[in-house]
Amino acid sequence: MVEGFAARRKGFARIALTAGMTIGLALVAAAPLSAAKPRAAVPDAAPARGLPDNQIAPLSLEKLKAGEALLAQGKAQEATDQFEAALAADPRNRQAYIGMARAAEADGLPGKAVRFYREALAIEPNDLSTLELQGVAMVERGAKARAEANLERVKTLCAGPCPQADRLAAAIARGPKTPVEQTAKLDTGAKANAAKPDESED
């Protein structure tokens, strides 16, 4: 009787051991499945919108270079023609928009310059130099509050010393070099001329 009970107890022990091993193996097998459960995808950082020169159409870069040379010679209208040709060849060439803005400033048209800087910023919104230049043009146009908004954005984007912010702050403190009434009149005249139909073919 005692031997029978001992035999049964050994049988129970073997059953319990076998069951325990089975459960343990099942848990081990399940662990990798839970560990391998896919996680939510982490979005990639947004790429810069501006393109390096080697991705801009060569003809566009050629026209841009010609425009910059003409602008350096004080030939704003001829430079503008080249910048327009650069954009026709490749509308992603933001430096051509900046060139057109600088040409407009050379003609005393800060309002027009502000619009061209806006086009450049639509391609690369975080360009510190363009934000600075647009802010200075806003000062010349008499839009001090908008220039201050550009200054705050530049300060936000800058890490450490920020000459762009310093120069823009100085321009805001100085105020427009040319009376706002004069630049506004020139800008209005430029808009009117642009709106006129071309009568050269009549």
Side-chain angles (χ1 to χ4, degrees), residues 21-188:
M21 291 176 64
T22 301
I23 294 171
L25 290 171
L27 291 174
V28 170
L33 293 176
S34 59
K37 185 179 179 181
R39 297 180 180 179
V42 178
D44 295 331
R49 296 173 65 184
L51 293 174
D53 284 352
N54 62 4
Q55 294 183 32
I56 298 293
L59 177 60
S60 183
L61 294 175
E62 179 184 327
K63 296 296 183 180
L64 170 65
K65 187 176 180 179
E68 289 174 339
L70 288 166
L71 190 59
Q73 297 171 26
K75 301 176 180 179
Q77 184 53 58
E78 292 91 335
T80 297
D81 293 341
Q82 293 298 315
F83 294 137
E84 288 178 346
L87 288 169
D90 195 334
R92 303 169 300 171
N93 190 345
R94 65 188 180 91
Q95 291 299 331
Y97 282 116
I98 293 171
M100 291 185 71
R102 290 170 54 214
E105 287 173 321
D107 281 338
L109 303 171
K112 191 174 182 180
V114 168
R115 292 191 291 276
F116 286 130
Y117 285 130
R118 184 186 306 131
E119 295 291 345
L121 288 167
I123 298 172
E124 179 48 83
N126 297 334
D127 186 338
L128 293 175
S129 295
T130 306
L131 286 166
E132 175 200 348
L133 292 171
Q134 186 189 47
V136 173
M138 288 170 173
V139 169
E140 294 302 321
R141 191 66 178 84
K144 182 179 179 180
R146 293 171 64 191
E148 288 173 340
N150 269 39
L151 176 59
E152 290 305 311
R153 178 159 178 76
V154 170
K155 287 179 177 178
T156 299
L157 293 171
C158 270
C162 193
Q164 294 90 347
D166 294 340
R167 289 191 295 263
L168 180 51
I172 292 171
R174 181 198 68 226
K177 295 179 181 179
T178 306
V180 174
E181 295 78 8
Q182 182 177 338
T183 56
K185 186 176 180 179
L186 288 171
D187 270 323
T188 302

Side-chain angles (χ1 to χ4, degrees), residues 3-15:
E3 291 177 358
F5 177 78
R8 286 196 300 274
R9 186 169 62 180
K10 288 181 180 180
F12 293 147
R14 283 196 297 270
I15 293 171

